[in-house]
Amino acid sequence: MIETPGFRWFRRIGLTFLFLLVALPLYVVVVTSFKPLSDVRGLFTWVPSTVTFEPYLEIWQTVPLGHYFKNSLIVTTLATIFSVIIAIMAAYAVARLNFRGQRSFSLVVLSTQMFPGILFLLPLFLIFTQIQRTVGLQLNGSYTGLVITYLTFTLPFAIWMLAGYFASIPRELEEAAMIDGTSRAGAFIRVVIPVAKPGIIAVAVYSFITAWGEVLFASVLTNNDTRTLAIGLQAYANQTDVYWNQLMAASVVVSLPVLIGFMMVQRHLVAGLSAGSVK
Amino acid sequence: MKAPVKALSTLAVLGLGMTSLAACGSGSGEATSGDTLTYWASNQGTTVEDDRKVLEESLARFTEETGTEVELEVIPWTDLYNRILTAVSSGEGPDVLNIGNTWATTLQETGAFLPFEGDALEAVGGQDRFIQSSWSTGGAEGEAPTSIPLYGLSYSLYYNTEMFAAAGIEAPPETWDEFVETAKKLTIDTDGDGEIDQWGVSLAGSSISNNAHQAFVRGLQAGGSLFDENGEPTFASDEQVAGVKQWVDLMAVDKVVSPSNAEFTGGSQMVEDFAAGNAAMFFDQAPAKTLNARGFENFAAAPVPLTDPAATGDEATMSHVAGINLSVFNETDNEEGALKLAAHLTSDEEQVYLNKAFTSLPVLSAAYEDEAFQSEEITLKQGILENNAKPMPLISQEGQMETLVGTAIKNLFAQAATGTVTEDDIRTALEDANSQMAAAQ
Amino acid sequence: MSQLIEKPPASGGEPGAPQRPAPAVRRRRRSPFAYILIAPAVIMELLIHIIPMVLGVWIAFLGLSQLNIRNWLRAPFVGFDNFVAGLDPNGPIGGEFLASFGRTLVFTVVVLAIVWVLGIMAAVLLHSSFRGNGFLRTFFLIPYALPSYVATIAWAFMFSQRDGAINKILVDDLGILDERPFWLLGGNAFWVTVIVTAWQMWPFAFLMLLAALQNIPKDVYEAAAIDGASLWKQFLLITLPMIRPANGVLLLVMSLWIFNQFNVPFVLFGAAPPESAKLISPLIYQHSFSNWNFGLGGAMSVLLLILLFIASVIYVRMVLPKGKDID
């Protein structure tokens, strides 16, 4: 593309606007997290009166943040692993193989992708209580229960994206391997999966981020032992006080793992998403 | 070449297997048998951790007396209602638990909690030990209560003594008219920049529950009620509208409340406003602890002003019967132990200990003999709780009622903050809430 | 998704899309391998979607409340009562449901428009090369990677009327406004919900659109430039048509995400949002989990399901004309 001066100006202004839009809330969060409590009680100030690291130390005492952190990590990781493994298998079958009910399956995946979580929350809650009553297996408030509900939104998207991605991989790759005597399954594992790495990463990142930020299911289906960060963070605001500085410090702490992980893989994302969705 | 297929199917089986494996991940909250009881406590103090320390001391005494261990879980307010729902519907809950006393009738209807009658009533020493207004929150009228009071609270008026002195006001206002007059006198521009920086009153305009409580109290004072004797909602009766108007007018007409208060979602912001010297008066249940923690001491408590100073009965209501109740789960394996724990927590000694720690009011008249409860403020609040408090309507949709009425008033404050609110606006808002309530019943 | 729609099983052995040479080896027969691969997904779909949806429909016909939640299998059958209550435009509950549904539609369109404009702007600008390009690409993705509740809490803090950063900027720093407006109350609450949702979602649009732009061959632009087409013309005549398939998918997925938004209004306003910000998911949550009127919540869910399904089928047919196999 040949750039004109007008375009350059447009680019400068446009990108400055977008930069400020993204940076403003981030700045507010970070700067507030370094303020003493007396600073955050009144009008917002751009610069703290004194920079203090205390909120970062206090957050662990006010609320059992470490415990919630562990819970979020367990639930989110399990949900991501399961949805990615199940989706890789199903997506390959949809994209490459031929089976009975393929069309219905695709339709189900496609349509469940669009249904809101609130639709599944109540029935799953009742199913879980019924299982608990009859079999004694506790699902409400357990990691398992939460992981299962998280699959309701991670799985359809993962299948859908990966099916698109697998379809974009030239068939010749695996066919060459199959002519060499490798089975279909062998070609899938040794040839297709490695090539599909960007797509798989994109899907895993999506699942992880969405599950890490999930509020709806966690608000009903967790208890003291399994409470996730999304719900646990609310405890910085209670009847008598809102510890804004600690809330922001905790926000920084809970965001860092996803942000760092995201930055590490983000260059794969564009490739993964483009092939997966554009075909 | 079958190996990859095998590998994949193993993987699939493994995947499903892991799901069930993870089931072992957690398992608290079951009603435990034998010599252990599970106790769910609500969050009363400043943090969940503080509460745990206070309660563990009391529970240790229980274990010493009875040999029964208690597994304690302190549950934040945002979670408690959902946790109770889970417990009720799955049948897997604690043996003993705390509930907000306004939930009592809703929870009674689930049939999941032990009625306090006969032996169960005797186990906690009978009804007469308790403050009767608190006791009456235990469940629907005419039925054996399924909860007993644990911590008591009542609203009173808090005022800044320095500001009162500076304005030459000698005594706190006794009637609502005096209250508004006083508030107007205290709404001033202290530094002469043309903007008011000291307001007469602070309130939490966006707090659903605070607004609902005020609608209840002000409505009763005006001779109205939220429900008639047949249980039909009467939110928009003339009296009820008049009562709500008194409350909303503080901001909309009398201009003694800063418009910024329309956004306050909780009591903490209101207390903060008061402690920062932005407001001279506010209504609250137990702010002393927070104010003391801020090093703020120039405050005193007074009765809630009455519309008609000579009023008696419902029209002399100053507060709803606020507080926390305690219930025993029906499906407990250890009913005897659970009742013993209930008796322990409502015993004279523990009532003194617990309410002192949480700055709430004992629910037994006898406990006030302790010197911890001799202060002027506590005596005042005890009097209000015993003589000038009525329970919020004892109906199963109490929570929904609070949401509807509280939201209507919240919206009125939002309107008042940026414009005017007429009596018709108030009536329309309450009529809307009323029809929603009628449809839900 | 286009793949899922455009490639019905019958075409499995047909020549692929034009850009793909016909495969040398074709598998017409149904392989057992496919069933092994698909089995876990089918089981999970049954467990987490199909069975709950069937149960959800059943609940909608029950008078399920605190009276019988302990034994919900024995809750009384009330026929279409819940649906009548939920849909009656003159009744207070139905009126609220329909108003909320309409509001959620408007919300979806507005957020989608903002998100798309920001996304395409960022994608086009960052598709050109200049210094700092790589940094901005990464930086712009932060709102998407940030946990949704963290971003929402931060915005709620900033939108506080008296003490928040937004009013500080608008009133104190820039002096654009004289009075401090209320953002979290009244009609403005809707716009706050829009802004917070759009802020979290636009990087996803940016990412997808950037990916689509990279698939456009460079020489098309070069040819157009030689013909004297302005950059704006190039954008309209080349860029937009070329990204159309990706766009269709993107808009569908994003509009569903926006429509189903729960996190933002729930974290901003809790169980009782201002009228203007009462979206459909929080409303159903309120009926089910605050009021414990599970039957009504169930009926609203089913109504929503039907409406969403119709909307999606229409959309898929309109935007993806090749999606004839959807039915």
Side-chain angles (χ1 to χ4, degrees):
Chain A
M1 175 162 12
I2 296 116
E3 294 177 8
T4 60
F7 177 77
R8 286 210 185 94
W9 272 108
F10 176 60
R11 184 167 67 195
R12 261 172 228 148
I13 294 167
L15 290 178
T16 309
F17 168 73
L18 289 171
F19 177 83
L20 290 176
L21 183 72
V22 174
L24 178 67
L26 302 180
Y27 177 78
V28 169
V29 169
V30 173
V31 82
T32 307
S33 73
F34 288 109
K35 285 178 178 177
L37 189 60
S38 58
D39 259 29
V40 295
R41 285 210 173 113
L43 182 62
F44 176 78
T45 49
W46 292 107
V47 198
S49 65
T50 41
V51 173
T52 169
F53 288 90
E54 243 158 54
Y56 284 90
L57 302 176
E58 288 164 353
I59 49 174
W60 308 96
Q61 267 91 51
T62 314
V63 165
L65 189 68
H67 182 64
Y68 301 157
F69 214 97
K70 187 193 88 185
N71 291 337
S72 277
L73 206 59
I74 291 174
V75 172
T76 308
T77 310
L78 285 177
T80 304
I81 291 175
F82 284 130
S83 53
V84 168
I85 291 177
I86 297 173
I88 288 176
M89 296 163 63
Y92 184 75
V94 168
R96 281 288 202 272
L97 303 174
N98 200 0
F99 58 93
R100 265 177 91 87
Q102 194 162 21
R103 208 156 78 168
S104 332
F105 179 78
S106 300
L107 196 64
V108 166
V109 170
L110 182 66
S111 44
T112 50
Q113 152 84 9
M114 73 189 189
F115 297 147
I118 190 77
L119 231 54
F120 304 109
L121 175 59
L122 180 60
L124 280 169
F125 173 75
L126 291 177
I127 291 173
F128 287 179
T129 58
Q130 204 56 34
I131 290 174
Q132 195 162 344
R133 272 189 181 277
T134 47
V135 194
L137 176 68
Q138 193 199 340
L139 289 172
N140 284 323
S142 75
Y143 293 137
T144 320
L146 211 51
V147 169
I148 290 173
T149 56
Y150 282 15
L151 289 178
T152 59
F153 55 85
T154 56
L155 191 57
F157 185 81
I159 296 176
W160 175 72
M161 283 297 286
L162 282 176
Y165 199 90
F166 286 139
S168 75
I169 297 171
R171 282 166 185 265
E172 299 87 71
L173 272 178
E174 54 207 289
E175 274 151 8
M178 282 156 73
I179 288 167
D180 291 346
T182 314
S183 70
R184 165 66 78 174
F188 170 44
I189 291 175
R190 297 199 193 110
V191 180
V192 180
I193 290 184
V195 175
K197 206 174 113 195
I200 293 171
I201 289 176
V203 162
V205 166
Y206 166 81
S207 300
F208 195 91
I209 286 176
T210 322
W212 192 261
E214 204 282 331
V215 176
L216 175 64
F217 292 112
S219 77
V220 177
L221 297 173
T222 58
N223 64 23
N224 230 30
D225 292 331
T226 54
R227 189 168 302 130
T228 56
L229 289 167
I231 306 302
L233 237 51
Q234 292 174 9
Y236 289 103
N238 61 24
Q239 296 279 42
T240 52
D241 223 330
V242 181
Y243 302 101
W244 280 112
N245 54 347
Q246 291 190 40
L247 183 56
M248 294 304 170
S251 295
V252 171
V253 169
V254 308
S255 304
L256 278 180
V258 260
L259 283 182
I260 292 170
F262 188 79
M263 295 308 151
M264 275 159 50
V265 299
Q266 61 99 6
R267 65 200 167 82
H268 294 288
L269 275 185
V270 176
L273 287 173
S274 76
S277 63
V278 184
K279 188 189 73 163
Chain B
M1 282 307 149
K2 283 268 185 261
V5 180
K6 214 173 147 195
L8 264 179
S9 44
T10 317
L11 204 66
V13 172
L14 200 78
L16 291 170
M18 268 168 75
T19 322
S20 43
L21 197 82
C24 317
S26 153
S28 97
E30 300 111 61
T32 39
S33 58
D35 272 357
T36 313
L37 290 167
T38 313
Y39 178 46
W40 283 3
S42 57
N43 181 198
Q44 297 302 121
T46 44
T47 68
V48 167
E49 282 307 304
D50 283 352
D51 281 29
R52 173 182 296 281
K53 279 178 207 140
V54 170
L55 289 167
E56 269 171 357
E57 214 180 301
S58 169
L59 295 173
R61 287 193 285 271
F62 176 72
T63 307
E64 208 171 292
E65 279 165 33
T66 60
T68 307
E69 297 280 340
V70 181
E71 201 177 296
L72 168 71
E73 190 180 323
V74 183
I75 301 176
W77 276 108
T78 42
D79 283 8
L80 189 55
Y81 203 59
N82 277 339
R83 292 294 299 283
I84 294 176
L85 170 64
T86 313
V88 167
S89 52
S90 67
E92 299 275 325
D95 301 284
V96 181
L97 75 162
N98 291 175
I99 64 170
N101 69 6
T102 57
W103 310 343
T105 314
T106 313
L107 296 180
Q108 184 177 41
E109 286 199 343
T110 64
F113 301 98
L114 189 74
F116 284 90
E117 56 188 350
D119 290 347
L121 184 57
E122 230 159 81
V124 296
Q127 166 180 351
D128 296 338
R129 294 176 63 232
F130 293 87
I131 290 180
Q132 289 310 299
S133 61
S134 291
W135 180 267
S136 63
T137 60
E141 260 170 282
E143 285 178 50
T146 52
S147 66
I148 58 171
L150 176 64
Y151 310 125
L153 287 164
S154 66
Y155 274 99
S156 56
L157 172 69
Y158 288 85
Y159 61 96
N160 183 317
T161 47
E162 272 190 351
M163 287 181 188
F164 267 52
I169 305 165
E170 280 163 13
E174 284 174 18
T175 68
W176 191 260
D177 289 341
E178 278 173 38
F179 170 71
V180 174
E181 276 318 302
T182 311
K184 281 181 179 163
K185 266 186 225 164
L186 291 164
T187 302
I188 46 176
D189 168 17
T190 54
D191 56 10
D193 68 350
E195 286 189 21
I196 290 166
D197 45 34
Q198 177 190 309
W199 296 86
V201 181
S202 179
L203 54 82
S206 278
S207 163
I208 303 302
S209 57
N210 282 14
N211 284 332
H213 299 156
Q214 293 299 337
F216 173 69
V217 169
R218 302 245 62 79
L220 285 177
Q221 283 196 13
S225 64
L226 291 168
F227 292 88
D228 64 16
E229 56 273 20
N230 303 322
E232 297 296 324
T234 51
F235 299 170
S237 68
D238 289 345
E239 295 83 6
Q240 195 57 49
V241 169
V244 170
K245 188 169 182 331
Q246 283 183 332
W247 184 239
V248 175
D249 274 357
L250 291 177
M251 183 186 291
V253 175
D254 308 322
K255 310 277 181 199
V256 294
V257 174
S258 161
S260 66
N261 290 17
E263 210 177 75
F264 289 4
T265 51
S268 62
Q269 288 157 298
M270 175 172 83
V271 180
E272 205 171 287
D273 225 28
F274 182 76
N278 297 333
M281 297 185 279
F282 70 112
F283 298 104
D284 205 358
Q285 300 177 14
K289 193 177 181 183
T290 318
L291 290 171
N292 290 333
R294 300 266 167 92
F296 187 89
E297 285 166 358
N298 307 317
F299 69 92
V304 174
L306 295 177
T307 304
D308 170 10
T312 53
D314 279 358
E315 289 172 34
T317 303
M318 297 184 179
S319 172
H320 74 293
V321 182
I324 305 302
N325 285 6
L326 179 142
S327 284
V328 171
F329 203 48
N330 245 343
E331 301 198 28
T332 173
D333 296 330
N334 185 357
E335 192 178 303
E336 202 194 327
L339 285 168
K340 269 188 192 159
L341 179 57
H344 170 80
L345 292 167
T346 53
S347 67
D348 293 3
E349 305 79 42
E350 296 305 322
Q351 276 289 302
V352 170
Y353 167 77
L354 290 170
N355 287 297
K356 205 158 95 183
F358 294 139
T359 61
S360 42
L361 303 172
V363 293
L364 315 167
S365 301
Y368 288 92
E369 281 159 24
D370 189 274
E371 59 182 296
F373 302 107
Q374 298 301 318
S375 77
E376 224 173 290
E377 186 196 348
I378 298 287
T379 310
L380 167 78
K381 299 189 83 95
Q382 178 199 3
I384 294 175
L385 181 65
E386 289 200 52
N387 308 315
N388 297 83
K390 293 274 176 292
M392 291 295 275
L394 301 166
I395 52 155
S396 57
Q397 284 103 343
E398 203 279 339
Q400 196 163 359
M401 181 276 286
E402 282 197 23
T403 307
L404 289 169
V405 173
T407 309
I409 297 176
K410 170 185 165 170
N411 293 340
L412 290 169
F413 275 124
Q415 193 183 333
T418 51
T420 54
V421 179
T422 65
E423 189 172 338
D424 281 343
D425 292 336
I426 296 174
R427 179 167 284 114
T428 310
L430 290 173
E431 273 167 0
D432 281 354
N434 199 75
S435 59
Q436 292 249 7
M437 191 71 224
Q441 278 183 316
Chain C
M1 164 168 33
S2 51
Q3 194 56 38
L4 281 180
I5 298 165
E6 287 166 28
K7 203 182 77 54
S11 73
E14 302 302 312
Q19 66 265 35
R20 281 183 213 127
V25 183
R26 286 186 199 139
R27 304 234 142 187
R28 270 174 198 283
R29 64 191 171 84
R30 290 173 172 156
S31 68
F33 181 49
Y35 295 100
I36 296 169
L37 287 181
I38 210 76
V42 170
I43 293 169
M44 284 321 288
E45 282 293 337
L46 273 174
L47 283 179
I48 62 178
H49 286 137
I50 307 297
I51 295 175
M53 271 196 296
V54 172
L55 180 62
V57 172
W58 186 40
I59 294 168
F61 290 96
L62 299 178
L64 188 58
S65 69
Q66 72 265 19
L67 292 171
N68 40 42
I69 188 68
R70 280 178 81 205
N71 198 343
W72 60 275
L73 289 171
R74 278 197 225 134
F77 185 83
V78 296
F80 284 92
D81 282 8
N82 291 322
F83 290 94
V84 171
L87 260 188
D88 175 13
N90 299 318
I93 294 170
E96 191 183 35
F97 175 76
L98 294 174
S100 172
F101 184 77
R103 187 179 304 123
T104 311
L105 282 181
V106 174
F107 174 79
T108 307
V109 172
V110 173
V111 174
L112 192 63
I114 296 175
V115 161
W116 191 84
V117 168
L118 294 179
I120 192 74
M121 184 162 111
V124 168
L125 296 180
L126 289 181
H127 190 47
S128 59
S129 59
F130 61 94
R131 247 171 50 149
N133 183 315
F135 165 75
L136 285 180
R137 271 188 199 196
T138 309
F139 187 73
F140 284 173
L141 293 178
I142 290 179
Y144 173 65
L146 217 56
S148 163
Y149 52 88
V150 166
T152 311
I153 290 170
W155 278 103
F157 181 61
M158 289 162 59
F159 273 119
S160 156
Q161 185 254 353
R162 195 176 59 183
D163 301 332
I166 298 291
N167 276 351
K168 181 164 171 64
I169 296 172
L170 293 177
V171 180
D172 300 346
D173 296 344
L174 299 179
I176 298 174
L177 299 172
D178 293 333
E179 291 279 314
R180 292 173 176 270
F182 286 92
W183 295 103
L184 299 167
L185 299 177
N188 284 347
F190 175 80
W191 294 104
V192 167
T193 317
V194 165
I195 291 170
V196 179
T197 311
W199 188 82
Q200 292 174 28
M201 222 164 253
W202 78 267
F204 187 77
F206 156 62
L207 198 63
M208 297 286 272
L209 291 168
L210 184 66
L213 290 184
Q214 289 179 346
N215 285 359
I216 304 176
K218 281 240 169 2
D219 46 4
V220 188
Y221 287 108
E222 280 154 20
I226 292 167
D227 290 346
S230 69
L231 286 175
W232 178 242
K233 272 254 163 69
Q234 290 178 30
F235 176 74
L236 288 183
L237 298 176
I238 302 172
T239 313
L240 282 187
M242 294 288 272
I243 60 170
R244 194 161 167 265
N247 231 345
V249 176
L250 176 71
L251 291 181
L252 174 64
V253 175
M254 301 250 314
S255 57
L256 293 168
W257 284 348
I258 298 166
F259 190 88
N260 298 337
Q261 185 58 250
F262 177 82
N263 288 0
V264 172
F266 190 73
V267 175
L268 275 179
F269 305 113
E275 193 71 19
S276 70
K278 204 170 245 179
L279 301 183
I280 204 85
S281 283
L283 180 73
I284 296 177
Y285 183 91
Q286 190 189 332
H287 281 296
S288 296
F289 290 96
S290 301
N291 300 342
W292 291 8
N293 194 340
F294 306 101
L296 182 62
M300 288 183 173
S301 303
V302 171
L303 290 171
L304 184 62
L305 187 82
I306 295 167
L307 293 168
L308 270 178
F309 195 77
I310 294 170
S312 273
V313 169
I314 293 171
Y315 182 91
V316 167
R317 280 169 178 272
M318 275 169 50
V319 176
L320 306 169
K322 279 188 246 161
K324 54 184 180 289
D325 304 307
I326 191 82
D327 42 14

